[in-house]
Amino acid sequence: MDISDRWYALNNPAEALQKRFEQRRDQANLMKSMSSYKTAAAYSVSSLSDRLSASKKWIALARKYDTWSLAYAYSTALYLLNRSVLQASNIRDRHVRLISTGVSGKEIAVEAASHAIGTCRLRSAIEMLEQWRGLMFYQLGNYRTPSDDLEAVNKVLSDRLRELNVAME
């Protein structure tokens, strides 16, 4: 079996076990399904988009059946989303990756925080929201035009921009 095909070998049984659980209501199938999604999400040889897809399915299943692994599934998805975005070499590619994952990072962060609050883990809720906020601020920081480049064209405008940046911070 090709190494890249291993993710599919891990993900497909998870889906089959999930369907079997939904038909028979055997808790063992539910646990095996989530375990397979967890393994597929952690399989580092697979693409980050495949791993995010597995974590998204894991979240949906854990949320639906209110299982112990939901917090870990959220944490895994946020980690993978961060990795996916940060691996891109430029701003445009980061934005494309963020959109192409089919996963709303904000939605995951808010749901994860909500779950953490509901289970009295306030510190974890703050950490998850801060992780998402940090990624967004990192993205926004890269959208700034370097004032040195502007200074070469228009010193007065560059000085004004620096003043505004200081005032906003």
Side-chain angles (χ1 to χ4, degrees), residues 121-169:
R121 294 178 306 108
L122 300 180
R123 182 178 301 249
S124 182
I126 292 168
E127 287 172 359
M128 289 181 188
L129 290 172
E130 283 296 310
Q131 183 180 1
W132 177 250
R133 188 179 73 92
L135 180 62
M136 290 298 94
F137 273 113
Y138 174 77
Q139 284 289 97
L140 289 173
N142 287 322
Y143 286 119
R144 294 184 183 174
T145 303
S147 57
D148 294 338
D149 293 346
L150 182 58
E151 187 172 358
V153 176
N154 187 332
K155 177 146 177 48
V156 173
L157 188 57
S158 173
D159 290 343
R160 181 68 181 133
L161 180 61
R162 283 190 183 126
E163 289 171 12
L164 288 171
N165 279 337
V166 168
M168 286 180 10
E169 292 175 4

Side-chain angles (χ1 to χ4, degrees), residues 3-142:
I3 287 180
S4 62
D5 291 336
R6 177 138 166 75
W7 179 87
Y8 295 102
L10 293 167
N11 193 51
N12 288 340
E15 291 174 0
L17 286 163
Q18 179 180 349
K19 287 177 183 164
R20 186 181 301 163
F21 165 74
E22 289 169 354
Q23 291 170 349
R24 299 181 185 170
R25 295 292 183 211
D26 180 2
Q27 290 294 318
N29 289 322
L30 176 63
M31 294 300 125
K32 287 178 187 175
S33 177
M34 283 193 288
S35 179
S36 293
Y37 282 133
K38 176 184 172 186
T39 303
Y43 191 62
S44 62
V45 178
S46 295
S47 72
L48 286 169
S49 63
D50 284 344
R51 293 170 66 194
L52 269 166
S53 175
S55 68
K56 188 177 176 182
K57 292 174 185 176
W58 178 16
I59 287 169
L61 187 61
R63 189 180 332 140
K64 185 175 182 180
Y65 297 105
D66 194 30
T67 67
W68 56 270
S69 71
L70 184 56
Y72 189 57
Y74 279 129
S75 179
T76 300
L78 284 172
Y79 169 77
L80 293 171
L81 193 58
N82 277 332
R83 290 271 319 270
S84 178
V85 171
L86 295 177
Q87 274 188 350
S89 60
N90 60 50
I91 296 166
R92 186 181 154 288
D93 288 347
R94 286 185 191 122
H95 182 70
V96 167
R97 278 189 184 216
L98 196 56
I99 303 252
S100 70
T101 61
V103 175
S104 167
K106 179 182 177 186
E107 182 180 310
I108 289 175
V110 169
E111 287 177 6
S114 175
H115 174 71
I117 290 168
T119 56
C120 298
R121 294 178 306 108
L122 300 180
R123 182 178 301 249
S124 182
I126 292 168
E127 287 172 359
M128 289 181 188
L129 290 172
E130 283 296 310
Q131 183 180 1
W132 177 250
R133 188 179 73 92
L135 180 62
M136 290 298 94
F137 273 113
Y138 174 77
Q139 284 289 97
L140 289 173
N142 287 322

